[in-house]
Amino acid sequence: KIKENNPGAKVVLMTAYCEEQKVANALHSGALTTLQKPVNIKNLLEIIGKIVPGISIVVVDDDASIGKTLCKALELAGFKVFSASSGEEAIKISKENAVGLALIDINMPVMDGLETSQKLKEINPEIQNIIMTAYRDEAHELVDKALGGSATSCLYKPFDPADVIKLVNQIAART
């Protein structure tokens, strides 16, 4: 019925009953795949990611543990994620890949988050940059400059990865 009403709809059949004929009919009628209940959320997110490709994200943080945690959380949410430990590495990744969103630590050696954010905007004017900092008071000037130009939002550490995913999903829905 869904395909009759909307021929372009992407349909995934989820069922607790393995009635082979009904599953075969659904696949023949245009369902992309079937999932058995209880549904494995990781598998569901992978399927959704293939059906509705999300934006690619680069996480830029010189703190490896924060970078790794964010990358893992975003990957589990179905995003394609690149990790960079410096602004220079993020720029290289962005030149080689279609990155639509960057999560950038503001305090990094060599190239700070503001400069990284600006250079990423030069490469891709449509990129959405989210800056991150654990130094709310000390970094406020850099944060203000970034938010005044090249950054969309600021996250203050420590933060819950679920909140990051929620923000990323909101931004992805607008792009």
Side-chain angles (χ1 to χ4, degrees):
K1 280 288 192 195
I2 293 171
K3 292 298 270 185
E4 287 175 17
N5 292 331
N6 182 357
K10 310 287 191 223
V11 178
V12 176
L13 174 68
M14 294 184 282
T15 180
Y17 308 102
C18 190
E19 296 179 34
E20 290 182 29
Q21 188 57 47
K22 287 185 178 181
V23 169
N25 288 344
L27 292 172
H28 180 72
S29 296
L32 297 174
T33 191
T34 61
L35 292 173
Q36 292 290 331
K37 292 180 183 177
V39 174
N40 178 307
I41 297 300
K42 184 177 179 185
N43 290 344
L44 178 60
L45 290 173
E46 286 175 10
I47 290 168
I48 291 170
K50 291 175 186 172
I51 295 171
V52 183
I55 58 176
S56 293
I57 300 169
V58 63
V59 174
V60 191
D61 201 315
D62 58 325
D63 183 329
S65 65
I66 291 174
K68 185 176 180 179
T69 299
L70 273 176
C71 286
K72 187 67 173 172
L74 291 163
E75 286 170 354
L76 288 173
F79 292 100
K80 181 175 182 179
V81 184
F82 301 95
S83 179
S85 60
S86 68
E88 296 87 344
E89 190 178 354
I91 289 165
K92 182 177 185 291
I93 289 168
S94 293
K95 285 181 177 177
E96 296 171 357
N97 301 279
V99 175
L101 190 141
L103 291 154
I104 310 163
D105 183 27
I106 199 88
N107 291 318
M108 293 185 295
V110 184
M111 183 185 300
D112 65 29
L114 175 61
E115 185 178 357
T116 301
S117 180
Q118 291 167 337
K119 291 193 182 233
L120 291 174
K121 275 284 191 191
E122 289 172 12
I123 294 166
N124 175 6
E126 301 301 315
I127 194 168
Q128 301 294 307
N129 292 321
I130 300 170
I131 55 172
M132 308 178 291
T133 185
Y135 306 101
R136 184 180 296 262
D137 295 329
E138 298 88 338
H140 78 275
E141 286 183 31
L142 279 176
V143 169
D144 290 345
K145 284 182 184 177
L147 291 174
S150 57
T152 304
S153 186
C154 179
L155 292 170
Y156 292 99
K157 299 175 187 175
F159 46 74
D160 185 337
D163 293 334
V164 176
I165 292 168
K166 183 178 176 183
L167 177 61
V168 168
N169 280 324
Q170 289 170 349
I171 291 170
R174 292 189 303 232
T175 58

